[in-house]
Amino acid sequence: MDGTPPMPRLISLYFSARCCRQQCETPPRRTPQTADAGPIGRRVISGLNARSSLERAAIPSPAGVRRVASGPCCFYNSRSASQVSGPSLKVNEQRFIGSLTGLRFVAAATVAIGHGAPSLAQGLLPELIAQVSSIGMTMFFVLSGFVLWLNYAARFQSQPFGNALREFAIARFARLYPMYAVIVLAVVAYVVIARDLSAPSLGFILTMTQAWFPVQNGTMLVAVVPSLQHLWSISVELFFYLLFPFVCLLFAGVARLPTIIWIALANIVTFALTIAAAFTFGDALLRAAAPSLTQNGMQWLTYYSPYLHIAQFLAGCLAAMIYKNRADASIGDGERRCVRLLFWLALVSLICAPVLLFLQPRLPGWSFVIELAVRLIEISGFSIVFVAASRYGHAAWLSSRALIIGGECSYSIYLLHPFLIRLAMIGKSDAPGALELALRLGLFVAIATAVAWVTYMLIEAPSRTWLRRAFRTSAPRDVIHATPV
């Protein structure tokens, strides 16, 4: 996988997603024994050859990238067919789940829209739309736990810890740092050279630790360089990476579904208690630990710091454990109806969450209740949506080719979007209406996606491939990375 050039890889994703959707809707036309035979089953076919070969052979998928037949939402399993027996295939850590990749683009677009609305218009509607950005960030943190568990948990639990840790660290560094470093160095160069300003806290930013600590010289550390403030979430993600190996060891051996569900519920309850403690004792704690931080201290503690986001990451890990537990099981009618009900309840609740955040400053007496309700809606709602989309086939449109390619370059969308909003402001009226605002937000997302695709092709994918080759490491398929983008 590391040696696949970026362009053929993306083309392959297009047609893999299309074949995946068609195969979910059409029963296999050949027996498993026939599908397992022949040269097609012994190699992974990419690009247009993959599509034409699959159509000529009329098989569900090549045996080298077999499609799991259980459930309406399929994924590719990299095990050879000879390793699998029985009507259902064992779950392997190397997989492609198109709906999760599509969700990455949805999250990136949500954050971009939330950040762009206040710049494009003023009034109640842009203020309401702005609230979706924090919902999008939580989506990334939960999704991060979900896909990291699918990709790496088995390695930490079955391989020597040192070997698994090395592969994980190199793969994550190759995923995050090259594009991140390009953005940081470009902005710092502009600040220092063009504007003749200093760049304080550069050491924290370059090491991705700016969100871990509250203050530098009386200013919230994540905001010392305003143009790079949005990189706080990358710092949070790095904290998750350091935590993840220990999470794998902690949950090793936990396989029974009731046990996983009880742990997930305990995580949510602990999260609620932690939020209550932060709002009750947070001010006193910050005055003692960071007396120079006189403004925005609670904002750092409850939003920018990684500590209250740990439960969201764990929720994603636990949701992935539920997915793996049910991946090989047959789906009964009762289970399908229950999941469908939970999916729609979660979706409606997540749609209502930005409205609650919009009302929060207008209802000061209910501020804590609203904050707690939104946090619990996010952590439980996204967990349900991810399992329902990946295992039970809900929101199949997320596997479309356009959304998959958007998900692939979603990291660059997140890194670049604050610098591209001015392009969507060209020619705007003084008081844009709802229609103009919607059109300009769509234009903004389109511009950010186009530029991100270019940087993905020129920087992200080549640098990732080069680093993995240099360190001679293998990694699970990159099509479902969940970095906060």
Side-chain angles (χ1 to χ4, degrees):
M1 187 65 195
D2 290 348
T4 305
M7 180 66 74
R9 177 167 173 260
L10 293 177
I11 296 174
S12 178
L13 290 179
Y14 288 153
F15 292 102
S16 294
R18 182 174 180 179
C19 292
C20 181
R21 294 198 313 276
Q22 292 175 343
Q23 292 153 8
C24 290
E25 297 169 357
T26 306
R29 290 172 287 176
R30 301 184 68 176
T31 63
Q33 291 79 8
T34 304
D36 291 348
I40 295 176
R42 294 193 294 269
R43 62 188 179 93
V44 176
I45 305 173
S46 62
L48 294 171
N49 289 335
R51 182 188 182 198
S52 60
S53 298
L54 287 174
E55 290 173 345
R56 289 196 307 268
I59 60 175
S61 59
V65 282
R66 286 203 54 175
R67 182 175 68 90
V68 169
S70 60
C73 182
C74 58
F75 61 81
Y76 288 130
N77 189 320
S78 64
R79 298 161 72 97
S80 64
S82 61
Q83 294 174 278
V84 185
S85 60
S88 62
L89 306 183
K90 293 185 178 180
V91 177
N92 182 275
E93 71 273 13
Q94 298 185 7
R95 69 195 73 236
F96 165 75
I97 304 178
S99 58
L100 297 186
T101 306
L103 276 168
R104 287 171 49 200
F105 176 73
V106 172
T110 299
V111 173
I113 288 171
H115 289 166
S119 300
L120 294 170
Q122 302 296 321
L124 295 180
L125 180 59
E127 186 180 346
L128 172 60
I129 295 174
Q131 308 307 317
V132 304
S133 61
S134 63
I135 308 298
M137 290 313 311
T138 302
M139 185 190 303
F140 279 119
F141 294 147
V142 179
L143 188 56
S144 176
F146 194 101
V147 297
L148 284 183
W149 187 271
L150 289 184
N151 276 341
Y152 296 101
R155 295 189 175 204
F156 279 103
Q157 295 172 354
S158 62
Q159 297 181 6
F161 184 81
N163 294 345
L165 183 62
R166 178 180 180 274
E167 290 188 357
F168 175 74
I170 293 172
R172 295 292 87 199
F173 178 83
R175 174 71 176 118
L176 277 190
Y177 203 75
M179 189 65 194
Y180 178 93
V182 168
I183 296 296
V184 170
L185 294 177
V187 170
V188 168
Y190 172 76
V191 168
V192 173
I193 298 173
R195 303 185 61 183
D196 195 24
L197 299 175
S198 62
S201 72
L202 184 58
F204 290 103
I205 296 174
L206 284 174
T207 58
M208 299 182 176
T209 56
Q210 66 269 36
W212 302 7
F213 309 99
V215 63
Q216 184 181 54
N217 300 327
T219 303
M220 188 168 57
L221 186 55
V222 297
V224 170
V225 181
S227 300
L228 298 176
Q229 184 170 342
H230 67 296
L231 300 185
W232 70 271
S233 63
I234 313 301
S235 177
V236 172
E237 185 73 4
L238 177 63
F239 188 88
F240 293 160
Y241 291 173
L242 297 179
L243 187 67
F244 180 71
F246 302 100
V247 174
C248 292
L249 298 179
L250 178 65
F251 291 154
V254 177
R256 296 182 63 250
L257 183 62
T259 304
I260 300 171
I261 293 176
W262 278 113
I263 294 175
L265 293 175
N267 179 56
I268 293 174
V269 172
T270 304
F271 183 47
L273 295 175
T274 304
I275 294 173
F279 274 82
T280 303
F281 306 108
D283 277 330
L285 177 64
L286 287 169
R287 283 195 299 269
S292 62
L293 184 60
T294 57
Q295 295 181 343
N296 302 320
M298 284 297 293
Q299 186 181 20
W300 172 81
L301 180 63
T302 60
Y303 187 68
Y304 290 118
S305 75
Y307 311 114
L308 285 187
H309 295 296
I310 293 174
Q312 298 167 347
F313 178 74
L314 292 178
C317 294
L318 291 162
M321 294 172 67
I322 294 173
Y323 165 80
K324 293 186 71 173
N325 180 277
R326 300 301 299 160
D328 289 338
S330 59
I331 303 176
D333 291 338
E335 179 181 350
R336 193 181 300 278
R337 287 194 296 268
C338 180
V339 171
R340 183 183 299 114
L341 175 62
L342 290 174
F343 173 78
W344 285 109
L345 286 175
L347 200 59
V348 171
S349 299
L350 289 169
I351 292 173
C352 293
V355 179
L356 293 176
L357 291 177
F358 174 76
L359 296 174
Q360 189 176 24
R362 294 164 174 80
L363 300 171
W366 291 84
S367 179
F368 171 72
V369 174
I370 291 175
E371 182 73 23
L372 182 61
V374 170
R375 296 293 186 98
L376 295 181
I377 287 173
E378 291 173 340
I379 193 173
S380 56
F382 283 127
S383 299
I384 293 170
V385 167
F386 295 161
V387 174
S390 59
R391 175 64 185 95
Y392 297 90
H394 294 281
W397 57 272
L398 290 168
S399 297
S400 67
R401 289 173 290 169
L403 289 183
I404 287 176
I405 188 60
E408 277 292 280
C409 63
S410 58
Y411 183 48
S412 285
I413 294 176
Y414 180 79
L415 293 179
L416 294 169
H417 80 273
F419 311 109
L420 302 173
I421 184 61
R422 291 187 180 276
L423 296 178
M425 298 171 64
I426 296 174
K428 80 177 184 68
S429 59
D430 294 335
L435 179 59
E436 182 181 353
L437 176 61
L439 292 175
R440 289 192 175 275
L441 286 172
L443 175 63
F444 175 41
V445 172
I447 292 172
T449 303
V451 176
W453 185 83
V454 173
T455 59
Y456 175 84
M457 300 295 292
L458 297 180
I459 300 174
E460 273 196 76
S463 60
R464 188 188 317 165
T465 299
W466 183 87
L467 285 169
R468 287 177 177 168
R469 283 177 177 172
F471 289 99
R472 298 180 180 178
T473 61
S474 60
R477 291 190 67 174
D478 292 334
V479 293
I480 58 171
H481 282 312
T483 310
V485 294

